[in-house]
Amino acid sequence: MKFKHIPAFIAGSAFALMASISAAQAEKLVIATWDGYTPKDMVEKFKAATGIDLELTMHATNEEIMGKVTASGGEGYDIIFVSSPFAEALKKLDMLAPIDHAKIPNFANLYPEASQLKHDPGNTYSVPYTWGTTGLCYRSDLVKAEPTSWNDLLKPSDELKGKITMLATDRWLMAAAFLADGLSVNTADQANLDKVRDQLVATKKDLLAYDDTTFYSKLVSGEATLVHAWDGWCNYGTAENAKIKYMIPKEGSDLWVDTLVIPKAAKNLDAAHKFIDFIFNAENGKWVVENIMYKVPNKAAMDSVDKAMLTSYPNIAIPPADLLKYEQLRDLGDGMKAFSKTVSEIMAAK
Amino acid sequence: MAPGLLWLTVLMIVPCLLIFVLIFFERGTYGGIDWSVATLGNFTRAFDPLYLSILLDSARIALTATIIALLIDYPAAYAIMKAPERWQTSLLFLAILPFWTNYLIRTYAWIVLLNPVGVINNVLTYVGAISQPLPLLYNEFAVILGLVYNYTPFVILAIYSALQRLDPSYAEASRDLGATAVTTFFKITLPLTAAGVSAGAVFVFVLSIGNFITPDLLGGGKMQMIGNLIYDQFLTARDWPFGATLSGLLIALMMIALLMQAVASGRARGDHHA
């Protein structure tokens, strides 16, 4: 508030001062999200539909927003976009407001599976925004044999050595090895951690690089031929070269879910619910599928997507019932300490 | 004086003290700090051979980058100083020019040049010099190259200004007394510009050892330096106490380097007056 008034004084205009005061009084929601994760015209459209202003603040990673939110007690945010294990952690810290379904008529647009997520059955404190799988993305014209197993990545054949990348984000890095060994993606048992650590340290020697953000362009350029990828991101590669394909290894995938939560400290709960309702309209969900190339748990949106997209990008067509067969990443609670330590050891290993 | 002291206290001493305090606690379940038990566990963990070897490797890489930078930049600065006066400003300007571009963009430019299907490999393959792409990227070579490249302007400036201040009559006297050009350089010019060399060297070393962007991008994240390890503890593992411990170690190491530089440049000045 105080700072808002300074430019007004500099302008020396009483009118500007009045305007800034009235602007501060208008309804406003602060949304913490990833850059580019929501439609570009969302702010204008939401304002037109509800008269409420949106202020978007960006975070690059879950850990970053988690740090900010736990430091401020959730103060200063009305809606937070965060992956489900972090939503779960915020709930355990008792920082989230309950979701009032009566205020969200567009809940009717969602698949029934959207309310069966293990971290929050019935969507009591979080609502799913996008969901998907993690698997292998590869150049079908450059690999000798189509990959079938996580071990094709973890124990690469000679032709793949130096041409593979892995995700470095802790939960997915470990999940690849857990799945290969038939373990739960949510284990933090020391014996399991040790076992996959040894495998991942061995795999590290065969990697071109760890890559969370540009692995698909490495496939496009041909630097890499097989990469560890989130399904939606593999589609970015497929968009540039149809020879780039996505597959889920026979051992399975994790189910990842990005959610929206309302912190307890939110100033305007009604408006926050209006925002969730707005996000759940078919048009916004359709934008996500067409631009982010992720699946959304929104049936109305998925049904409105051009069928040609489902053919070009088969992973968009994975039905919700199949997604739910995969084990969802969950908050590890106290197990996270040992888990993080193991990941540090892998990243530090030579 | 007072605002300067306030600045130093608020932005330097207080954060350092906070870091020092964190060293003796453990992370909470969801990041944060568990203030209930004091521990020395972070210390023992930091001296685990795994992490200690990262610290030593970082020092080795930073030292290598420093030596290479000096070997390239001393002759460069010398050449600029010897160039006709009217060219000197332009030459210095050219040396500093890349520095006006964002660090990340400069680093990404190297990725474009060095990657297996990048400019250098493609040209070499095209002219038939190689049949397999050279492994230029995502290894220690690329990291050292990135560090040397990025900090070169500082070193050139530091050495150039030392050379500029050097009275040419010393070298003339040496030549008049029969010393060869080589002897003159090693007996007169180099010792008298040691302060500039050590300032440039400390600059490269201190910035290199704590760097985390270059190892991440040019090293492909496979090879960690101490900066990456600290970054990960604070931002990924959310283990602030362990990150603080590693930061403390790094600060101590840098203090030693700066102290050595202060002693070295003090001695250089002493020689000058003798």
Side-chain angles (χ1 to χ4, degrees):
Chain A
M1 279 285 286
K2 254 183 224 159
F3 292 103
K4 279 218 176 77
H5 293 167
I6 292 171
F9 272 112
I10 292 167
S13 147
F15 176 75
L17 183 63
M18 301 282 288
S20 89
I21 290 170
S22 64
Q25 281 168 345
E27 269 195 299
K28 196 181 86 179
L29 281 182
V30 182
I31 316 279
T33 181
W34 282 277
D35 199 6
Y37 209 23
T38 49
K40 286 192 181 60
D41 55 0
M42 179 178 77
V43 175
E44 292 78 28
K45 284 200 171 157
F46 187 65
K47 171 86 176 172
T50 61
I52 301 167
D53 284 311
L54 292 183
E55 182 188 326
L56 302 185
T57 71
M58 304 302 170
H59 50 263
T61 61
N62 280 305
E63 286 82 3
E64 182 188 337
I65 188 63
M66 189 72 184
K68 286 183 188 167
V69 172
T70 47
S72 75
E75 198 79 39
Y77 301 101
D78 297 297
I79 293 275
I80 300 167
F81 282 68
V82 71
S83 298
S84 70
F86 293 86
E88 215 177 335
L90 288 170
K91 174 64 180 169
K92 286 184 192 165
L93 290 168
D94 197 25
M95 292 176 70
L96 298 183
I99 303 288
D100 185 349
H101 291 231
K103 290 179 182 161
I104 309 175
N106 278 336
F107 241 114
N109 285 341
L110 301 196
Y111 291 105
E113 284 86 353
S115 300
Q116 295 161 14
L117 294 166
K118 290 280 188 331
H119 78 283
D120 182 20
N123 311 106
T124 60
Y125 62 85
S126 67
V127 299
Y129 181 63
T130 55
W131 56 10
T133 61
T134 314
L136 299 175
C137 185
Y138 62 101
R139 278 281 294 260
S140 56
D141 55 335
L142 296 180
V143 295
K144 279 200 187 115
E146 307 266 316
T148 56
S149 154
W150 282 109
N151 284 318
D152 293 330
L153 177 73
L154 298 172
K155 298 170 182 158
S157 61
D158 284 341
E159 59 133 352
L160 290 175
K161 281 181 182 161
K163 293 190 168 175
I164 54 174
T165 73
M166 280 192 86
L167 298 172
T169 306
D170 51 3
R171 296 299 302 272
W172 285 287
L173 172 73
M174 298 289 275
F178 286 147
L179 287 165
D181 284 340
L183 298 167
S184 157
V185 296
N186 294 308
T187 179
D189 178 70
Q190 195 59 51
N192 291 338
L193 291 175
D194 290 348
K195 190 176 168 199
V196 300
R197 181 193 56 212
D198 294 344
Q199 176 58 56
L200 289 169
V201 167
T203 305
K204 191 175 178 183
K205 296 182 178 63
D206 296 325
L207 294 182
L208 174 67
Y210 287 111
D211 194 336
D212 284 332
T213 47
T214 58
F215 48 81
Y216 61 92
S217 22
K218 289 196 169 84
L219 285 178
V220 173
S221 70
E223 278 173 85
T225 52
L226 173 75
V227 302
H228 183 198
W230 297 294
D231 46 14
W233 288 64
C234 185
N235 294 337
Y236 307 154
T238 311
E240 291 187 48
N241 181 343
K243 297 268 168 47
I244 295 175
K245 291 184 178 167
Y246 179 79
M247 63 88 59
I248 295 172
K250 61 182 183 210
E251 298 92 347
S253 163
D254 66 288
L255 165 62
W256 57 259
V257 184
D258 283 349
T259 69
L260 274 67
V261 296
I262 307 175
K264 255 186 183 168
K267 290 281 179 296
N268 195 339
L269 290 177
D270 267 337
H273 281 86
K274 276 184 198 157
F275 178 79
I276 293 177
D277 190 52
F278 173 77
I279 277 292
F280 280 170
N281 72 31
E283 194 193 345
N284 280 313
K286 184 173 181 244
W287 180 91
V288 174
V289 181
E290 289 178 349
N291 292 276
I292 312 284
M293 296 191 172
Y294 281 179
K295 289 171 283 302
V296 294
N298 190 323
K299 185 171 189 304
M302 292 301 287
D303 289 346
S304 68
V305 169
D306 184 357
K307 295 289 170 286
M309 255 197 110
L310 308 184
T311 328
S312 310
Y313 310 102
N315 66 52
I316 295 180
I318 302 174
D322 285 5
L323 287 178
L324 257 61
K325 284 180 198 156
Y326 300 124
E327 191 188 9
Q328 195 186 339
L329 290 179
R330 302 291 303 278
D331 172 49
L332 298 179
D334 226 25
M336 201 62 203
K337 287 183 191 173
F339 189 93
S340 293
K341 196 169 171 219
T342 305
V343 173
S344 292
E345 285 168 9
I346 295 166
M347 297 316 280
K350 270 182 257 178
Chain B
M1 193 62 195
L5 274 180
L6 187 72
W7 181 270
L8 205 66
T9 314
V10 173
L11 296 177
M12 173 81 197
I13 298 178
V14 170
C16 282
L17 283 177
L18 283 176
I19 284 196
F20 188 72
V21 171
L22 288 187
I23 291 176
F24 302 100
F25 294 90
E26 268 189 20
R27 66 167 277 186
T29 300
Y30 293 109
I33 315 296
D34 179 359
W35 296 108
S36 57
V37 219
T39 171
L40 287 175
N42 292 311
F43 265 115
T44 30
R45 190 176 162 201
F47 285 100
D48 180 294
L50 179 72
Y51 301 119
L52 210 55
S53 78
I54 289 189
L55 187 63
L56 292 176
D57 269 349
S58 307
R60 182 177 52 78
I61 289 170
L63 194 67
T64 313
T66 306
I67 292 169
I68 296 174
L70 290 177
L71 289 178
I72 295 174
D73 296 342
Y74 200 102
Y78 196 83
I80 293 175
M81 201 267 294
K82 286 287 180 196
E85 197 111 17
R86 64 178 190 283
W87 287 109
Q88 293 195 8
T89 315
S90 314
L91 289 171
L92 276 180
F93 176 79
L94 286 177
I96 301 163
L97 193 63
F99 205 69
W100 294 359
T101 319
N102 182 289
Y103 191 102
L104 276 177
I105 294 175
R106 277 181 287 153
T107 307
Y108 270 105
W110 278 109
I111 296 183
V112 173
L113 288 173
L114 298 175
N115 82 63
V117 291
V119 177
I120 295 176
N121 271 311
N122 278 349
V123 168
L124 290 177
T125 313
Y126 182 75
V127 302
I130 52 170
S131 57
Q132 281 286 316
L134 298 172
L136 300 174
L137 190 59
Y138 307 128
N139 51 31
E140 197 175 301
F141 162 79
V143 174
I144 292 175
L145 179 72
L147 294 171
V148 169
Y149 167 74
N150 275 302
Y151 299 133
T152 275
F154 294 117
V155 185
I156 292 184
L157 275 187
I159 297 177
Y160 173 82
S161 76
L163 285 167
Q164 265 279 315
R165 283 197 304 264
L166 184 63
D167 187 340
S169 56
Y170 291 122
E172 282 163 21
S174 161
R175 296 300 299 277
D176 288 347
L177 293 170
T180 63
V182 175
T183 313
T184 305
F185 176 78
F186 284 106
K187 292 266 185 195
I188 308 291
T189 312
L190 191 58
L192 288 181
T193 50
V197 172
S198 73
V202 163
F203 211 97
V204 182
F205 184 80
V206 167
L207 288 178
S208 294
I209 199 172
N211 193 306
F212 56 87
I213 297 171
T214 301
D216 207 40
L217 292 177
L218 298 182
K222 284 187 291 181
M223 154 189 133
Q224 282 203 323
M225 285 178 59
I226 186 81
N228 304 88
L229 194 56
I230 294 172
Y231 178 94
D232 281 354
Q233 295 310 311
F234 279 98
L235 284 131
T236 313
R238 281 176 290 155
D239 192 341
W240 286 31
F242 187 53
T245 311
L246 295 167
S247 305
L249 276 178
L250 184 58
I251 291 172
L253 204 71
M254 294 207 190
M255 290 289 208
I256 295 172
L258 287 171
L259 210 66
M260 276 163 50
Q261 192 252 343
V263 169
S265 65
R267 191 182 298 150
R269 263 198 305 278
D271 285 347
H272 183 70
H273 291 303

